[in-house]
């Protein structure tokens, strides 16, 4: 909040990394008083609002094997509503995109975009059922073959990911996957994913 107060007071020449779309109304309302302009710049990140799986995970082999299963990852991808994320967090200004090089980059390939990036909740649920994850507990969460609830951990490294995490959690709940979100200090995050 201190960051936003300093921005709206005109105490920055350029603020690129941490201003958030959910504060856009605040920024626009204070432009005249703060003597600044609010512009929306293209963000050269192929996965803003996205997430990936730790396929090297070894602590629980049942979960690790699931994370390495491409059909599981495809099902989760189908159940992730990127358009909702775009419209809610980015006012529809972002381009939904796979976690791959940007289309403007020389190593982009049209093969990176496939049918698993379009939201299809029914298809996602069917794929998870077909993987043998067709049993659910009393709260609607899927059960692993050993009877435990399918629970995954989502980690973030900056507070501004919290609202994205909430949306991902909602999408995954619709798939019957419980998500535990952990916000880590950026230095701890690097160690956690290494």
């Amino acid at each position: 909040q201190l960051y936003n107060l300093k921005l709206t007071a005109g105490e920055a020449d350029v603020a690129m990394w941490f201003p958030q779309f959910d504060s856009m109304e605040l920024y626009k309302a204070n432009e005249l008083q703060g003597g600044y302009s609010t512009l929306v710049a293209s963000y050269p990140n192929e996965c803003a609002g996205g997430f990936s799986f730790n396929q090297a995970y070894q602590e629980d082999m049942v979960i690790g094997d699931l994370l390495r299963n491409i059909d599981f990852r495809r099902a989760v991808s189908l159940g992730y509503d990127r358009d909702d994320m775009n419209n809610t967090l980015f006012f529809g200004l972002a381009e939904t995109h796979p976690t791959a090089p940007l289309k403007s980059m020389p190593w982009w390939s049209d093969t990176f975009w496939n049918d698993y990036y379009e939201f299809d909740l029914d298809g996602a649920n069917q794929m998870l059922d077909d993987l043998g994850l067709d049993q659910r507990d009393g709260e609607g969460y899927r059960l692993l073959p050993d009877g435990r609830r399918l629970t995954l951990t989502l980690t973030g490294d900056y507070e501004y990911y919290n609202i994205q995490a909430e949306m991902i959690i909602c999408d995954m709940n619709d798939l019957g996957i419980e998500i535990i979100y952990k916000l880590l200090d950026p230095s701890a995050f690097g160690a956690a994913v290494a």
Side-chain angles (χ1 to χ4, degrees), residues 13-153:
D13 292 325
V14 176
M16 293 176 48
W17 298 112
F18 297 105
Q20 293 298 297
F21 273 108
D22 61 356
S23 298
M24 185 66 75
E25 186 175 348
L26 173 71
Y27 303 145
K28 294 299 281 181
N30 287 284
E31 284 180 333
L32 187 59
Q33 181 181 342
Y36 63 87
S37 297
T38 306
L39 305 172
V40 177
S42 179
Y43 182 55
N45 184 334
E46 69 279 1
C47 62
F51 59 94
S52 59
F53 297 95
N54 179 358
Q55 295 180 54
Y57 183 74
Q58 299 287 327
E59 291 178 35
D60 179 331
M61 290 308 290
V62 174
I63 295 293
D65 288 345
L66 201 55
L67 297 177
R68 288 182 285 279
N69 184 315
I70 194 167
D71 289 326
F72 176 77
R73 297 192 313 270
R74 286 175 172 165
V76 169
S77 182
L78 285 173
Y80 176 45
D81 193 345
R82 293 168 181 84
D83 289 331
D84 183 46
M85 177 82 67
N86 180 19
N87 291 329
T88 302
L89 300 182
F90 305 112
F91 302 107
L93 298 173
E95 178 184 354
T96 56
H97 193 281
T99 304
L102 295 171
K103 291 178 184 177
S104 61
M105 295 178 173
W107 45 90
W108 166 262
S109 169
D110 289 338
T111 61
F112 295 150
W113 194 269
N114 60 48
D115 294 337
Y116 300 107
Y117 293 103
E118 300 299 325
F119 180 64
D120 179 1
L121 185 60
D122 292 336
N125 275 303
Q126 185 61 56
M127 286 182 76
L128 292 171
D129 287 349
D130 293 346
L131 286 170
L133 300 170
D134 54 345
Q135 301 299 308
R136 296 186 185 234
D137 66 16
E139 295 180 55
Y141 291 108
R142 292 178 184 276
L143 298 175
L144 295 166
D146 62 11
R148 291 180 295 144
R149 179 183 282 186
L150 174 51
T151 303
L152 301 177
T153 301

Side-chain angles (χ1 to χ4, degrees), residues 169-187:
I169 289 167
C170 288
D171 284 350
M172 295 305 104
N173 283 346
D174 290 343
L175 293 177
I177 300 172
E178 181 181 43
I179 300 292
I180 297 171
Y181 178 60
K182 293 182 179 180
L183 179 64
L184 303 176
D185 175 86
S187 60

